[in-house]
Amino acid sequence: VQKNRFIYNWRRGDSDAEYPRYDASVKPGFLKNWVRFKNFLESEKLDSPDVVQCEMTYVNHLPEGEGWNTVSEWHKVLRPIASSAGLGCVSSPNAARVNFAYPLPDERGRLQVTASSAVQSENPIPVLHLQLTALGKPNSSNDEDISDWLDLGREWIVRGFTDLTTEGMHTIWEREK
C-alpha cells in the first residue's frame, strides 16, 4: 500500500513451482486483500479509495535459443518486428527495446507492450523481456467494477500475447488453441 497505490504482486518463484493462475489464485488473492484494506480504512473512519486506474502487468522472459538466437531474430518471436540484419551499414543489433500501445475496446484503457533485451538474473542467459501491461479506469470504484476491469485487462493481455507472437513460437511452446 502506498499513498496513491494498492499493489498486489505475484510470480511463479521456483521454476518447478506451479504457476499461480489468474482465476484460481491471483484474482481471488487481490480481491481478498483489497477488501481487507477497505475494511481497515472503514474501521479507522477513513474514506474509501476513489479508483482512477487499474493496471495489470504480465512479464515473460523468453530465453535465447528457444526460437531465436540473436536480437535480429526477434521477428521469429514477435509479429510486428522485422529483421534489419544485413541492411547496408546497419549490422545485427546486440540489444533492443521496442514499445507498442494498443487501445482497449470502448475506450476502456490501453495495452502497452514492451520488448527489450535483458539477462535473466537467476540463470544468466540472454532473454527477450516481453512485458504486457493493461491500464484503464473501471466504471466505478466498487468491487464488481474493479473485478470486471481486471478481467478485461487480463483478457487483453492474453489475447495480445497470442496476437503479437508468431505461430512458430506457439508451436515451440505447444500452445493450445
Side-chain angles (χ1 to χ4, degrees):
V1 176
Q2 296 176 3
K3 181 179 179 184
N4 63 350
R5 289 181 181 255
F6 181 88
I7 301 168
Y8 183 76
N9 291 317
W10 77 95
R11 66 182 287 174
R12 175 184 295 190
D14 293 334
S15 60
D16 295 337
E18 185 175 336
Y19 185 80
R21 298 284 170 206
Y22 174 78
D23 289 324
S25 175
V26 175
K27 183 180 173 185
F30 168 81
L31 292 174
K32 175 184 169 190
N33 285 288
W34 175 248
V35 168
R36 189 171 154 212
F37 174 64
K38 289 192 342 176
N39 289 340
F40 166 77
L41 294 175
E42 185 178 323
S43 73
E44 296 296 315
K45 304 205 181 345
L46 297 169
D47 292 336
S48 190
D50 178 25
V51 178
V52 297
Q53 180 170 288
C54 289
E55 177 178 320
M56 181 176 295
T57 299
Y58 277 47
V59 176
N60 303 275
H61 286 170
L62 310 176
E64 177 183 88
E66 295 182 20
W68 66 279
N69 292 304
T70 66
V71 171
S72 64
E73 292 183 340
W74 280 8
H75 66 282
K76 294 179 177 180
V77 180
L78 297 169
R79 294 178 197 270
I81 296 180
S83 175
S84 63
L87 297 176
C89 68
V90 177
S91 66
S92 297
N94 61 5
R97 180 179 180 98
V98 293
N99 298 297
F100 306 97
Y102 303 92
L104 297 184
D106 303 320
E107 299 180 20
R108 299 278 314 270
R110 66 192 177 282
L111 176 66
Q112 294 178 173
V113 180
T114 302
S116 58
S117 47
V119 175
Q120 196 167 290
S121 59
E122 55 274 355
N123 182 9
I125 59 169
V127 295
L128 189 168
H129 177 97
L130 182 61
Q131 182 170 308
L132 295 94
T133 301
L135 304 115
K137 183 172 174 57
N139 291 332
S140 77
S141 294
N142 76 41
D143 295 349
E144 185 175 327
D145 284 340
I146 291 169
S147 177
D148 288 347
W149 193 94
L150 292 174
D151 290 344
L152 175 76
R154 188 228 180 214
E155 174 189 356
W156 280 85
I157 286 172
V158 171
R159 290 176 68 182
F161 182 87
T162 302
D163 288 353
L164 294 171
T165 53
T166 64
E167 291 297 326
M169 292 306 292
H170 296 176
T171 301
I172 289 170
W173 296 326
E174 298 177 354
R175 185 177 178 282
E176 296 179 14
K177 294 185 182 205

